[in-house]
Amino acid sequence: MAELKRRTTKVKARSEAGTDDTSKEVSKELIQPTSTDSTDDVREPPVPLRYGPMPTFSRQRLWSRSALILGLMTIVYYNSGVKESSFAKFEDNIPGKAFETKCSSGIEAVANKFEGCKISKCGRMITDNLVDIHDIFGSSDLAKRVFSVSQSESAIYDLHTGKLLHDRESDLIVFNSTGKKIIFRVGDKQYIQALESKVRRLIVDHFHLDFWKVRLSTAFFTHITPTGKRKHHLAKLIVHQESFATQFSAIIYLTDFGTDFTGGRLIFPDSDSTNRTVEGRKGRVLVFTSGLENQHVTEPVTSGKLITLVAGFACDEAKQTGNIKLT
């Protein structure tokens, strides 16, 4: 009340002075509420949230989400510099295509010990015009007959031992027999021998070697399907077979990418941060030096059947295997 009387007295004094401006200021002062009278404050009620209360997370969930995000960022970081390039698409008709790499010390040390087998360059070479269509269909038919007796959809048939190799849901690759007899036909061996001779000639010509100094050291059919866990065991076995004292490797495709199978591309993660890919095609032949310069991996097959004939060639006569066994 004292404050109100003081303001009233002030207003009277100014009104007696007869100034319009003063009367305006006085009216403003009378209108403005005093800050000391808390009962005059009017507060609006809080507006309800449109989508409900904010969610809350436990500390454990926050840690797990953080770990997940960190892991994804790490993957992106380490793959951000890697690009993909197609070395051979299915629709390409390739008369001959090469890619040269720097030789690893291991491949040079081994091969250069043998006369007529000194390596002047390393890398890979691919062609669709090397083998006869009859040899391809004959070999493909043989492979299908071989794998028709397998207990596992993914398997390997060793052409030198006559053994069918696959796993039985274990961590070990084992020799296994179903008790069924594989039906061989007259001419089966000739198909394989014709392919082996032409592929060896391709390796010799491309890498400038002596034909009679390069010897077949291993040969096997591979049959890969979308079989979950088993494909990992099969991959271990293929790597073991390919690296069995070989200096040169060859892959001959017996089925078509996109028609007979999907997935299953061959990938070479090269040192220039490029993943070079190969799509299978019947009759397509890929040869390469078997050192660390040509490390490779096969993508999981997502449907169908990927069938190949894989061969390894060595410069050491002691590594030469016996005749192809089809009995």
Side-chain angles (χ1 to χ4, degrees):
M1 292 296 293
E3 177 66 19
L4 184 58
K5 289 180 179 180
R6 185 183 66 79
R7 289 193 178 194
T8 304
T9 304
K10 188 176 181 181
V11 168
K12 289 180 179 180
R14 288 180 179 177
S15 60
E16 290 175 356
T19 60
D20 294 338
D21 294 338
T22 305
S23 61
K24 291 179 182 179
E25 292 179 5
V26 171
S27 61
K28 288 182 180 179
E29 290 187 7
L30 288 175
I31 293 171
Q32 291 179 355
T34 59
S35 59
T36 56
D37 193 355
S38 60
T39 59
D40 294 336
D41 292 342
V42 178
R43 298 182 181 179
E44 295 183 357
V47 178
L49 296 175
R50 184 174 182 182
Y51 299 105
M54 292 293 292
T56 58
F57 298 98
S58 65
R59 183 172 297 180
Q60 182 179 3
R61 288 187 65 185
L62 287 173
W63 276 108
S64 63
R65 296 287 177 86
S66 301
L68 176 61
I69 293 171
L70 181 61
L72 292 173
M73 291 176 64
T74 303
I75 293 173
V76 170
Y77 173 79
Y78 281 105
N79 289 279
S80 58
V82 177
K83 56 183 180 295
E84 184 175 291
S85 174
S86 176
F87 186 57
K89 288 184 174 294
F90 167 77
E91 57 269 20
D92 298 338
N93 187 7
I94 305 174
K97 183 179 181 180
F99 180 79
E100 192 168 330
T101 63
K102 182 180 179 181
C103 296
S104 62
S105 57
I107 190 79
E108 288 183 320
V110 174
N112 293 347
K113 293 190 300 182
F114 302 98
E115 183 183 355
C117 212
K118 186 174 182 179
I119 295 179
S120 59
K121 64 178 179 180
C122 290
R124 63 196 75 117
M125 197 271 184
I126 194 166
T127 177
D128 292 324
N129 300 341
L130 178 69
V131 296
D132 187 274
I133 192 67
H134 298 292
D135 294 332
I136 290 298
F137 277 99
S139 301
S140 176
D141 179 65
L142 170 59
K144 290 175 182 177
R145 280 182 274 127
V146 165
F147 294 119
S148 67
V149 303
S150 173
Q151 289 180 344
S152 173
E153 292 185 0
S154 294
I156 285 176
Y157 180 76
D158 191 312
L159 288 161
H160 295 291
T161 64
K163 296 285 187 178
L164 190 62
L165 294 80
H166 55 82
D167 69 287
R168 301 180 69 179
E169 298 292 350
S170 68
D171 291 331
L172 298 176
I173 302 298
V174 298
F175 291 94
N176 197 30
S177 174
T178 63
K180 297 180 182 178
K181 185 174 179 60
I182 300 172
I183 300 174
F184 295 107
R185 297 172 182 167
V186 176
D188 284 344
K189 185 179 292 188
Q190 284 70 29
Y191 292 136
I192 304 301
Q193 289 174 336
L195 291 177
E196 182 271 333
S197 179
K198 291 177 181 178
V199 170
R200 180 152 58 116
R201 173 59 65 186
L202 176 64
I203 292 173
V204 167
D205 290 345
H206 182 69
F207 293 103
H208 311 300
L209 309 170
D210 186 335
F211 181 84
W212 301 107
K213 300 297 182 180
V214 178
R215 302 167 175 89
L216 183 67
S217 61
T218 183
F220 54 95
F221 285 124
T222 70
H223 182 267
I224 307 177
T225 60
T227 54
K229 180 181 177 182
R230 297 180 188 179
K231 63 192 173 197
H232 302 294
H233 302 300
L234 187 68
K236 293 178 187 177
L237 182 56
I238 292 174
V239 170
H240 171 72
Q241 293 284 99
E242 283 184 319
S243 62
F244 180 66
T246 66
Q247 283 75 60
F248 305 95
S249 297
I251 299 175
I252 305 169
Y253 286 93
L254 303 177
T255 49
D256 286 331
F257 174 84
T259 303
D260 299 313
F261 68 93
T262 57
R265 295 184 307 168
L266 191 67
I267 301 175
F268 290 90
D270 289 322
S271 58
D272 61 351
S273 298
T274 301
N275 291 337
R276 290 181 170 82
T277 62
V278 175
E279 296 175 356
R281 171 175 169 159
K282 282 181 183 176
R284 176 165 285 174
V285 179
L286 172 68
V287 298
F288 50 92
T289 49
S290 302
L292 294 176
E293 69 280 350
N294 275 314
Q295 294 185 90
H296 55 280
V297 63
T298 300
E299 283 182 331
V301 173
T302 53
S303 68
K305 300 174 182 179
L306 166 59
I307 302 176
T308 62
L309 173 59
V310 180
F313 296 84
C315 301
D316 187 356
E317 187 176 2
K319 302 301 181 182
Q320 182 174 359
T321 54
N323 293 329
I324 294 172
K325 185 176 182 180
L326 297 178
T327 56

